Amino acid sequence: MRTIGLIGGMSWYSSAEYYKAINAEVQRRLGGHHSAKLILYSVDFDEIRACQLAEDWAGAGRLLADAGRRLERAGADVVLIGTNLMHKVADDVEAAVDVPLLHIADAVGEAAATAGHRTLGVIGSRWVMAEPFYADRLARHGIGTVVPSEADQEMVDRVVFDELTRGIVSDGSRTEYVRVLEELRAKGADAVVLACTEIELLVKPSDSPLPLIDSMRTHALRAADLALAGVGGQA
C-alpha cells in the first residue's frame, strides 16, 4: 500500500472528512482492520487565509510547498492538497516534491466524464469560480463550466469563509445555495461540483436539483485508488 500525504487544515473541518473518507474506502476494499497509510500535515489556516486576503499567492505557495516537502520526507508516495482554492498554487507544490501530486480538478474531471457529464456548475470560493485555473483543468477532461452571477459568487464565498470554515452550518445559507444550483441548471449545467471541500457539510444530494460531485470525497476516493493500486488484486 502506498502512503498518502495530505496537506490539510484548510479548513480542518474538511480535513477530518478527508481522513474519514480515505480510511473508510481502504477498509471497505480490503476488509478487516485495514486502514490507510496516511500522513497529515495540517497548516494553520489563519496564515493561509491572510495570504488569500492579501492575494499573496507567492507566499501561500511557499507555505504549501514546504508542507509538501515535509510530507515527502516523512515517507509520502503521493501528495494531496486538501482544498480546491489552494490548487491555485498547485504548481508550486508540484515543483517542490519528487512524488506525484494528485490534483483535485483532475479527480473531479475524471469523475464527471465517467458519469457522462459535459457541463459542470461550479460553486466554491470566489477565486475558484471567477478565475480560469480550475475551469482550465476541468477542460483537459472535456468538461465545460458555468458559474453563478457575480452577486451570487460573493454570497457563496461569504458563506464558505464566514460560516463553513468556522464550523457553522445554516439552514438559511442552504436555501440560498439551492437557489444558486437552480440558476446553474438554467444556465446549462448538467451537474454541479461542490468546489470547496466544506460545502458537502451544507448541501446534500437530496437538497440539489442537479447531480452533485463532492470534490472532497471524489479527491479522497481517487487517493485511495492510488494507494491501493496493485494491492490484493486492486486495479
Side-chain angles (χ1 to χ4, degrees), residues 22-228:
I22 293 169
N23 278 292
E25 183 65 7
V26 169
Q27 187 173 50
R28 184 189 72 80
R29 295 194 197 181
L30 299 185
H33 294 290
H34 283 288
S35 57
K37 292 182 178 180
L38 191 155
I39 306 165
L40 170 64
Y41 187 93
S42 190
V43 301
D44 178 0
F45 186 41
D46 190 71
E47 294 177 0
I48 303 298
R49 184 60 178 153
C51 289
Q52 291 171 353
L53 291 172
E55 301 210 19
D56 179 12
W57 302 111
R62 287 191 294 272
L63 289 171
L64 294 197
D66 178 67
R69 283 190 290 265
R70 289 169 184 263
L71 287 169
E72 185 177 18
R73 287 198 297 269
D77 298 307
V78 60
V79 170
L80 284 69
I81 306 171
T83 161
N84 288 271
L85 168 56
M86 296 316 296
H87 280 76
K88 185 171 169 65
V89 299
D91 289 349
D92 295 321
V93 179
E94 195 165 31
V97 298
D98 293 321
V99 297
L101 173 73
L102 175 57
H103 197 292
I104 197 168
D106 287 339
V108 168
E110 290 168 5
T114 298
H117 302 308
R118 290 294 173 264
T119 304
L120 291 183
V122 178
I123 58 171
S125 69
R126 63 181 175 90
W127 291 281
V128 169
M129 293 182 285
E131 295 189 11
F133 70 92
Y134 198 84
D136 286 352
R137 196 81 180 204
L138 291 175
R140 297 185 187 184
H141 302 274
I143 305 299
T145 55
V146 292
V147 297
S149 67
E150 287 188 16
D152 282 337
Q153 287 182 33
E154 291 180 10
M155 181 276 295
V156 169
D157 184 84
R158 178 187 58 74
V159 169
V160 166
F161 289 111
D162 289 357
E163 298 178 18
L164 299 178
T165 57
R166 300 181 182 187
I168 300 167
V169 177
S170 159
D171 288 340
S173 293
R174 181 180 298 109
T175 297
E176 284 295 284
Y177 268 48
V178 171
R179 176 186 60 76
V180 170
L181 299 184
E182 291 278 10
E183 292 180 4
L184 290 172
R185 179 170 64 173
K187 289 183 174 182
D190 55 22
V192 169
V193 56
L194 306 182
C196 165
T197 52
E198 285 84 13
I199 295 177
E200 61 100 17
L201 302 173
L202 179 67
V203 179
K204 307 300 182 187
S206 58
D207 300 317
S208 178
L210 287 169
L212 297 180
I213 297 178
D214 176 349
S215 61
M216 181 283 298
R217 201 159 304 278
T218 301
H219 201 202
L221 295 183
R222 186 71 186 103
D225 288 340
L226 292 179
L228 294 178

